mmCIF file of all heavy atoms in Angstrom:
data_model
loop_
_atom_site.group_PDB
_atom_site.id
_atom_site.type_symbol
_atom_site.label_atom_id
_atom_site.label_comp_id
_atom_site.label_asym_id
_atom_site.label_seq_id
_atom_site.Cartn_x
_atom_site.Cartn_y
_atom_site.Cartn_z
ATOM 1 N N ILE A 10 123.818 95.719 117.864
ATOM 2 C CA ILE A 10 123.598 94.471 118.536
ATOM 3 C C ILE A 10 122.082 94.328 118.540
ATOM 4 O O ILE A 10 121.280 95.205 118.671
ATOM 5 C CB ILE A 10 124.125 94.588 119.962
ATOM 6 C CG1 ILE A 10 125.667 94.744 119.877
ATOM 7 C CG2 ILE A 10 123.857 93.256 120.660
ATOM 8 C CD1 ILE A 10 126.407 94.742 121.220
ATOM 9 N N LYS A 11 121.712 93.000 118.471
ATOM 10 C CA LYS A 11 120.244 92.680 118.483
ATOM 11 C C LYS A 11 119.810 92.637 119.941
ATOM 12 O O LYS A 11 120.475 91.933 120.756
ATOM 13 C CB LYS A 11 119.912 91.295 117.976
ATOM 14 C CG LYS A 11 120.112 91.198 116.486
ATOM 15 C CD LYS A 11 120.025 89.699 116.050
ATOM 16 C CE LYS A 11 121.255 88.981 116.661
ATOM 17 N NZ LYS A 11 121.389 87.537 116.274
ATOM 18 N N HIS A 17 126.097 89.378 127.794
ATOM 19 C CA HIS A 17 127.179 88.648 128.533
ATOM 20 C C HIS A 17 128.532 89.106 128.174
ATOM 21 O O HIS A 17 128.677 90.048 127.399
ATOM 22 C CB HIS A 17 126.912 87.159 128.135
ATOM 23 C CG HIS A 17 126.873 86.902 126.646
ATOM 24 N ND1 HIS A 17 127.997 86.887 125.775
ATOM 25 C CD2 HIS A 17 125.873 86.684 125.808
ATOM 26 C CE1 HIS A 17 127.621 86.675 124.659
ATOM 27 N NE2 HIS A 17 126.376 86.473 124.524
ATOM 28 N N GLY A 19 130.804 87.893 126.482
ATOM 29 C CA GLY A 19 131.174 87.844 125.031
ATOM 30 C C GLY A 19 130.756 89.126 124.278
ATOM 31 O O GLY A 19 131.465 89.620 123.468
ATOM 32 N N ASN A 20 129.583 89.547 124.460
ATOM 33 C CA ASN A 20 128.984 90.814 123.820
ATOM 34 C C ASN A 20 129.897 91.997 124.276
ATOM 35 O O ASN A 20 130.092 92.918 123.373
ATOM 36 C CB ASN A 20 127.625 91.063 124.233
ATOM 37 C CG ASN A 20 126.537 90.029 123.891
ATOM 38 O OD1 ASN A 20 125.727 89.675 124.713
ATOM 39 N ND2 ASN A 20 126.655 89.404 122.786
ATOM 40 N N GLY A 23 133.689 91.329 122.799
ATOM 41 C CA GLY A 23 133.656 91.115 121.393
ATOM 42 C C GLY A 23 133.111 92.310 120.677
ATOM 43 O O GLY A 23 133.415 92.488 119.467
ATOM 44 N N ALA A 24 132.250 93.073 121.332
ATOM 45 C CA ALA A 24 131.601 94.183 120.574
ATOM 46 C C ALA A 24 131.610 95.603 121.306
ATOM 47 O O ALA A 24 132.311 96.440 120.943
ATOM 48 C CB ALA A 24 130.159 93.768 120.245
ATOM 49 N N VAL A 147 132.940 93.864 114.816
ATOM 50 C CA VAL A 147 132.135 92.790 115.128
ATOM 51 C C VAL A 147 132.967 91.668 115.734
ATOM 52 O O VAL A 147 134.108 91.587 115.667
ATOM 53 C CB VAL A 147 131.352 92.312 113.890
ATOM 54 C CG1 VAL A 147 130.212 93.230 113.504
ATOM 55 C CG2 VAL A 147 132.245 92.132 112.720
ATOM 56 N N GLY A 148 132.266 90.621 116.108
ATOM 57 C CA GLY A 148 132.817 89.384 116.548
ATOM 58 C C GLY A 148 133.047 88.546 115.220
ATOM 59 O O GLY A 148 132.415 88.889 114.157
ATOM 60 N N ASP A 150 132.065 85.806 114.171
ATOM 61 C CA ASP A 150 130.869 85.176 113.563
ATOM 62 C C ASP A 150 130.201 86.119 112.520
ATOM 63 O O ASP A 150 129.300 85.578 111.754
ATOM 64 C CB ASP A 150 129.817 84.623 114.740
ATOM 65 C CG ASP A 150 129.429 85.958 115.539
ATOM 66 O OD1 ASP A 150 130.241 86.790 115.772
ATOM 67 O OD2 ASP A 150 128.180 85.965 115.942
ATOM 68 N N GLN A 151 130.478 87.327 112.528
ATOM 69 C CA GLN A 151 129.767 88.245 111.642
ATOM 70 C C GLN A 151 130.572 88.575 110.419
ATOM 71 O O GLN A 151 130.054 89.388 109.549
ATOM 72 C CB GLN A 151 129.521 89.601 112.411
ATOM 73 C CG GLN A 151 128.522 89.426 113.607
ATOM 74 C CD GLN A 151 127.175 88.940 113.169
ATOM 75 O OE1 GLN A 151 126.608 89.472 112.263
ATOM 76 N NE2 GLN A 151 126.689 87.935 113.756
ATOM 77 N N VAL A 184 140.017 88.802 121.276
ATOM 78 C CA VAL A 184 138.607 88.604 121.746
ATOM 79 C C VAL A 184 137.651 88.086 120.766
ATOM 80 O O VAL A 184 136.412 88.155 120.866
ATOM 81 C CB VAL A 184 138.110 89.990 122.395
ATOM 82 C CG1 VAL A 184 138.821 90.325 123.602
ATOM 83 C CG2 VAL A 184 138.068 91.074 121.387
ATOM 84 N N ALA A 185 138.201 87.602 119.597
ATOM 85 C CA ALA A 185 137.362 87.139 118.566
ATOM 86 C C ALA A 185 136.391 86.069 119.041
ATOM 87 O O ALA A 185 135.133 86.110 118.632
ATOM 88 C CB ALA A 185 138.241 86.571 117.460
ATOM 89 N N THR A 186 136.714 85.244 119.913
ATOM 90 C CA THR A 186 135.731 84.240 120.453
ATOM 91 C C THR A 186 135.896 84.156 121.934
ATOM 92 O O THR A 186 136.943 83.521 122.404
ATOM 93 C CB THR A 186 135.864 82.863 119.798
ATOM 94 O OG1 THR A 186 135.846 82.969 118.466
ATOM 95 C CG2 THR A 186 134.792 81.968 120.284
ATOM 96 N N VAL A 187 135.047 84.742 122.757
ATOM 97 C CA VAL A 187 135.188 84.600 124.120
ATOM 98 C C VAL A 187 134.420 83.320 124.534
ATOM 99 O O VAL A 187 133.467 82.956 123.999
ATOM 100 C CB VAL A 187 134.344 85.828 124.798
ATOM 101 C CG1 VAL A 187 134.335 85.678 126.369
ATOM 102 C CG2 VAL A 187 135.061 87.162 124.472
ATOM 103 N N LYS A 194 131.963 78.703 122.375
ATOM 104 C CA LYS A 194 131.813 80.089 122.219
ATOM 105 C C LYS A 194 130.629 80.504 123.230
ATOM 106 O O LYS A 194 129.619 79.931 123.265
ATOM 107 C CB LYS A 194 131.261 80.351 120.842
ATOM 108 C CG LYS A 194 131.046 81.845 120.606
ATOM 109 C CD LYS A 194 130.266 82.052 119.287
ATOM 110 C CE LYS A 194 129.730 83.506 119.396
ATOM 111 N NZ LYS A 194 128.549 83.884 118.734
ATOM 112 N N MET A 195 130.899 81.649 123.926
ATOM 113 C CA MET A 195 129.815 82.102 124.878
ATOM 114 C C MET A 195 128.740 82.728 124.035
ATOM 115 O O MET A 195 128.936 83.496 123.080
ATOM 116 C CB MET A 195 130.313 83.205 125.827
ATOM 117 C CG MET A 195 129.322 83.724 126.865
ATOM 118 S SD MET A 195 130.002 84.849 127.989
ATOM 119 C CE MET A 195 131.139 84.055 129.030
ATOM 120 N N SER A 196 127.518 82.191 124.192
ATOM 121 C CA SER A 196 126.408 82.734 123.446
ATOM 122 C C SER A 196 125.045 82.461 124.220
ATOM 123 O O SER A 196 124.975 81.534 124.825
ATOM 124 C CB SER A 196 126.310 81.918 122.056
ATOM 125 O OG SER A 196 125.059 82.155 121.441
ATOM 126 N N LYS A 197 124.257 83.428 124.055
ATOM 127 C CA LYS A 197 122.928 83.241 124.835
ATOM 128 C C LYS A 197 122.081 82.078 124.263
ATOM 129 O O LYS A 197 121.535 81.321 125.058
ATOM 130 C CB LYS A 197 122.003 84.486 124.725
ATOM 131 C CG LYS A 197 121.792 85.162 123.395
ATOM 132 C CD LYS A 197 121.108 86.464 123.567
ATOM 133 C CE LYS A 197 121.261 87.171 122.222
ATOM 134 N NZ LYS A 197 122.309 88.199 122.154
HETATM 135 P P1 LIG B 1786 124.894 85.742 120.954
HETATM 136 O O1 LIG B 1786 125.831 84.821 120.323
HETATM 137 O O2 LIG B 1786 124.888 85.662 122.416
HETATM 138 O O3 LIG B 1786 123.381 85.654 120.382
HETATM 139 P P2 LIG B 1786 124.920 88.133 119.358
HETATM 140 O O4 LIG B 1786 124.936 87.322 118.197
HETATM 141 O O5 LIG B 1786 123.691 88.926 119.672
HETATM 142 O O6 LIG B 1786 125.291 87.217 120.546
HETATM 143 O O7 LIG B 1786 126.142 89.046 119.274
HETATM 144 C C1 LIG B 1786 126.272 90.496 119.515
HETATM 145 C C2 LIG B 1786 127.737 90.962 119.342
HETATM 146 O O8 LIG B 1786 128.596 90.376 120.300
HETATM 147 C C3 LIG B 1786 128.237 90.659 117.881
HETATM 148 O O9 LIG B 1786 129.124 91.585 117.584
HETATM 149 C C4 LIG B 1786 128.949 89.333 118.182
HETATM 150 O O10 LIG B 1786 130.009 89.076 117.362
HETATM 151 C C5 LIG B 1786 129.582 89.633 119.662
HETATM 152 N N1 LIG B 1786 129.785 88.427 120.355
HETATM 153 C C6 LIG B 1786 128.681 87.465 120.859
HETATM 154 N N2 LIG B 1786 129.247 86.518 121.466
HETATM 155 C C7 LIG B 1786 130.599 86.514 121.453
HETATM 156 C C8 LIG B 1786 131.660 85.781 121.834
HETATM 157 N N3 LIG B 1786 131.549 84.621 122.588
HETATM 158 N N4 LIG B 1786 132.956 86.113 121.628
HETATM 159 C C9 LIG B 1786 133.150 87.338 120.979
HETATM 160 N N5 LIG B 1786 132.183 88.070 120.475
HETATM 161 C C10 LIG B 1786 130.919 87.802 120.693
#
Side-chain angles (χ1 to χ4, degrees):
I10 299 180
K11 292 171 293 187
H17 52 75
N20 301 136
V147 283
D150 57 326
Q151 296 297 314
V184 292
T186 308
V187 176
K194 177 197 160 200
M195 187 178 290
S196 168
K197 54 194 163 252

